[in-house]
Amino acid sequence: MNTLISSRKGSALIIGLIITVLLTIMTTSFLEKILNLGQTSGWINNSAQAYSLATWLIEEQLMDANMTKESPWNILTKTEGTVTSDTWRTLSANTGGEIIPNFGRWNSSFDSDWNIIGMGEPIQIVIPEWINPTDWLSGGDIKFYFRVPKINGQVWDTGALATIAWSGIILWTFWYSGASLYASGETNIFTLWEIDGGAQYLGWKNWLTNTWISINFQNFYNTYWSHCIWYQCTLKLSMIRPFLTNDSSNPQSFSFLEYRIEFPSGTAIPSQYMIIDSTSYVYGYLRSRQVRIPQITTSTATDFAVLQ
């Protein structure tokens, strides 16, 4: 009888130990999942906070009194905290320079030193009053470069077919609130023959004003450049027809070109897009935002109306 009771007690002890072990395993697993879930939730929260702070910093700086629609390039750089802190954030803005595109701010997929101009994608640049009229002349400090992109490393013939070499391809318009200068004839805008990657100049090209007065660009600018104060003058470039390469047997047509513009050394020319980069760090999570804000826009429909 005692043996039977002892056997039952031993079995109960073993069953109790098994239940205890199972409960311990289940509890440990449950707690581990809860802790992992909490940790994951914390990571997600930190990541979301970093993104929100990066976005808020952009909005915060855009609401600054110095930042206006007329002069968006006045946005200020801002830094809070250091890279060794648990949390920090910083904002920088690229607003322009003496060369377009600025270093590291190109948009051509084929060459890192060039930007793209295409049909329906004009270039618009505000011109400050400190540009000297003689800078626009041949040999001056304002140089325009246009070329066919080197797609897959292919170098295309830089000229155009002789029969269309003098056809215009890059239309120019310059204006301020009281006067404007329009292209007068296709040969007075940049022609296909000038799309060769070399320096081109605008000063001696003849134009018609909005009052139908014939005048070249340099003289027009010399007359009105005082009105460019506070960035009130605008220079616009538009590609009005495809570029045809100089190959009579197999001509290639391009609806876009690469361009680069150089201004006098030390001159700050606002770029067409202000590029804002904002970064925020929160407990191990780094999030960044980039915003491109156009400074001005107009319709390309007027480009074709001008040529008519």
Side-chain angles (χ1 to χ4, degrees):
M1 186 68 177
N2 291 333
T3 302
L4 180 60
I5 294 174
S6 298
S7 177
R8 289 179 177 177
K9 287 183 178 180
S11 298
L13 181 61
I14 293 173
I15 294 173
L17 289 173
I18 293 174
I19 293 175
T20 301
V21 171
L22 290 175
L23 288 175
T24 301
I25 293 174
M26 293 175 62
T27 302
T28 302
S29 178
F30 177 76
L31 291 175
E32 184 179 0
K33 290 184 178 181
I34 292 295
L35 291 174
N36 288 337
L37 181 61
Q39 189 176 40
T40 301
S41 177
W43 292 341
I44 294 174
N45 182 57
N46 291 340
S47 178
Q49 283 190 42
Y51 183 82
S52 298
L53 288 173
T55 302
W56 168 242
L57 185 56
I58 294 174
E59 296 175 351
E60 188 178 62
Q61 292 304 91
L62 291 178
M63 290 187 291
D64 189 278
N66 293 310
M67 169 63 196
T68 65
K69 183 178 180 181
E70 291 75 21
S71 54
W73 42 86
N74 285 336
I75 187 171
L76 300 177
T77 297
K78 185 173 183 178
T79 300
E80 296 179 350
T82 64
V83 293
T84 58
S85 304
D86 292 331
T87 62
W88 54 267
R89 59 179 186 162
T90 182
L91 177 144
S92 63
N94 181 273
T95 60
E98 61 189 45
I99 298 178
I100 299 175
N102 299 139
F103 178 75
R105 302 298 178 180
W106 49 79
N107 63 18
S108 174
S109 301
F110 312 103
D111 194 303
S112 60
D113 294 327
W114 296 73
N115 265 8
I116 292 293
I117 179 173
M119 299 183 65
E121 300 179 35
I123 306 163
Q124 295 189 141
I125 306 169
V126 292
I127 304 298
E129 75 276 12
W130 53 75
I131 296 294
N132 193 296
T134 59
D135 290 332
W136 300 97
L137 297 175
S138 297
D141 292 327
I142 300 179
K143 305 178 181 69
F144 302 86
Y145 302 85
F146 302 96
R147 74 178 190 183
V148 178
K150 298 178 181 178
I151 302 176
N152 295 327
Q154 174 69 46
V155 179
W156 305 96
D157 194 321
T158 55
L161 293 174
T163 55
I164 60 170
W166 299 109
S167 296
I169 187 170
I170 303 293
L171 176 69
W172 290 80
T173 309
F174 183 86
W175 73 86
Y176 81 100
S177 59
S180 56
L181 190 62
Y182 295 93
S184 176
E186 290 203 12
T187 58
N188 286 299
I189 62 180
F190 286 119
T191 65
L192 276 76
W193 192 255
E194 296 173 296
I195 312 301
D196 60 0
Q200 307 295 336
Y201 301 89
L202 189 59
W204 292 120
K205 291 185 179 292
N206 293 314
W207 300 65
L208 285 178
T209 68
N210 57 315
T211 56
W212 298 98
I213 298 175
S214 179
I215 188 173
N216 66 42
F217 184 91
Q218 193 269 343
N219 289 335
F220 180 87
Y221 184 81
N222 189 50
T223 301
Y224 295 107
W225 71 318
S226 61
H227 296 284
C228 295
I229 188 172
W230 303 116
Y231 305 94
Q232 295 187 69
C233 291
T234 301
L235 179 64
K236 181 181 179 183
L237 303 77
S238 303
M239 186 174 179
I240 60 174
R241 60 167 55 91
F243 179 88
L244 195 63
T245 60
N246 187 14
D247 186 345
S248 57
S249 62
N250 185 31
Q252 301 294 317
S253 179
F254 291 86
S255 60
F256 62 92
L257 297 168
E258 290 180 332
Y259 78 90
R260 188 171 70 234
I261 307 173
E262 296 180 2
F263 288 90
S265 178
T267 301
I269 300 296
S271 56
Q272 184 172 2
Y273 291 90
M274 177 178 63
I275 303 176
I276 303 175
D277 290 297
S278 178
T279 301
S280 179
Y281 177 85
V282 177
Y283 294 104
Y285 282 83
L286 186 71
R287 299 297 300 272
S288 298
R289 287 289 311 276
Q290 184 180 93
V291 176
R292 292 173 176 255
I293 300 178
Q295 60 181 18
I296 47 178
T297 57
T298 60
S299 173
T300 57
T302 57
D303 299 330
F304 300 96
V306 168
L307 290 180
Q308 297 301 320

